[in-house]
Amino acid sequence: MSNVRKEIIINATANEIRIAITEDKRLAELFVETPEKERMVGDIYLGRVAKVMPGIRAAFIDLGLKQDAFLHFSDIGSSFSEYSSLVGDEDSEVDVDEDGDDAENPSSENAAATTPEVKTQPQPQQRQRPTRNDNYQKSLPDIKRGQDILVQVTKEPVGRKGVRVTSEVSIPGRFLVLLPFDGKIGVSKRMQSFKEKRRLRRIVRSFLPEGFGAIIRTVAMDQDEAALKQDMDNLLSTWREIEKSVKSEEPPSILYKDMATTSSVIRDLFSESVDRIVIDSKKLFKEIRAYVKTVSPDWIDKIELYKDKEPIFDVYGIEKEIATVLSRKVWLKSGGYIIIEQTEAMVVVDVNSGRYAAKREQELNSLRTNLESSREICRQLRLRDLGGIIVIDFIDLEDEKNRKKVYDELRKEFKRDRAKVTVLPMTEIGLVQITRQRIRQNILHSFSEPCPVCGGGGLIESKSSIVNHIERWVRRFKSESREYRLKLIVHPTVAQYLREGTISRITKMRFKYFVSIKLAEDTSTPASEFHFFSPKQKKDITEQFIS
């Protein structure tokens, strides 16, 4: 993995920030930040228990959101559990599987959540099957309806489901994660050097307050004591503020808001393995540069400001790759293709050869197509951030050795994935079952919204996403043309959206690019399309400046 060239490309407009992570110049992950869809993973709330449902071993917590949050009993921490004595003291030494470190899906909302999971955390009796009712009742946590409770969001709302929360609150920093209710010092499993682990544990133990725990993240390798202590002081200061808010606020209320997507990506994913960060916004460039200068000054030269007129995602070939995210069908270089279908219950992927192969070469051709599709499927699952149950229907293979080759290829490719993934061997009929950690809504929802015509049965591109396409079109137009007058034809709903605001979106676009745009409505134009007409040339010029 170390020889993979990794880059972070950031594109910012007035309504949207898009963060692309590329591996060997191919898009691997995409995060989208819009005002309408704020990131929630890592936020800490003072909530109130709305329902306790022992039958499903869960409680629902009122956080003041549209839907109550889901709290499973296994996510109820030692802070008010009768099992607090099993957690251990601050000298306990454990290895931690960071759901991300490098994996705290910041988006997390991959990027695994910003709340890493301590693998050694016990969950006693909850997993045991009770033999009598009284034993079963004893295994239930002492949680009651109407009770105030401190919780942290671990998963974004998905569909009609509310957020998932835990009472095991943690606060992530650059090098450390503070665990206010846990006395353990954990170290990321991604850190291989035993000597370095021991050195970091010794340093952190020297300044960690009694009763607190910490997780040492992978990016802490080779850092000196001063940098680690500064990070810990910042985290403790944040926690003290949260403690004050708990005493003064009435539930439901938010006590702590984690970083926005862009900041969390830099905090969680910018490491030695990243070759560079390229940003097309001066404001974001200054903010990120100032942050990195504070926490990792040696890496400041990796941050670049993009100044060219051509859109940054066009230059790096990302815009074309984003189109595959919105498509059911993804073509392979061999001529085969995969179909990705998402339902509420699971994701189904179908692999097709796309070509006729002679009988004697059928097994070999099927193996080649399956291996190629394995690599593309792993990339698409990461890129789209699809989680839950995933079933892949590969082309049938008769040889058991060939089926194992496909299984091994999947496992190898998933090692790049920051989310937790379990892959089962291929069955005789070519099916592979996968479970992938789901943290946030998949990326498709960032570019779409429920269709008002079909009642949510299908999806159309959101108005904000269409306006961003229009703005990128105008930017390309201005970089290549000297014309200053345009006529824009859109569906009435998009036209209304463009006119909204004290200073309308269309007015901002006119001033930003010094171009006169006459807005026209056309009910026959699909809501997801737009057309630009040149009065000077007296023709439609839309296709000339489409990516």
Side-chain angles (χ1 to χ4, degrees), residues 14-33:
N15 303 309
E16 178 185 69
I17 297 175
R18 299 183 298 172
I19 306 136
I21 298 175
T22 65
E23 293 175 355
D24 290 335
K25 298 187 177 181
R26 290 203 75 196
L27 184 60
E29 293 182 66
L30 180 68
F31 302 94
V32 180
E33 184 178 352

Side-chain angles (χ1 to χ4, degrees), residues 78 83-94 118 120 122 179-186 201 204-205 208-215:
S78 59
Y83 306 118
S84 58
S85 61
L86 297 176
V87 175
D89 59 27
E90 71 273 13
D91 289 327
S92 300
E93 295 184 354
V94 295
V118 180
T120 56
L179 307 175
F181 298 134
D182 192 332
K184 293 185 178 179
I185 296 178
R201 279 197 182 105
V204 173
R205 191 182 298 112
L208 187 66
E210 186 176 354
F212 286 82
I215 293 171

Side-chain angles (χ1 to χ4, degrees), residues 161-181:
K161 298 176 183 176
V163 297
R164 182 159 182 167
V165 295
T166 178
S167 70
E168 288 280 28
V169 173
S170 64
I171 306 172
R174 173 64 175 162
F175 306 118
L176 304 169
V177 177
L178 180 66
L179 307 175
F181 298 134

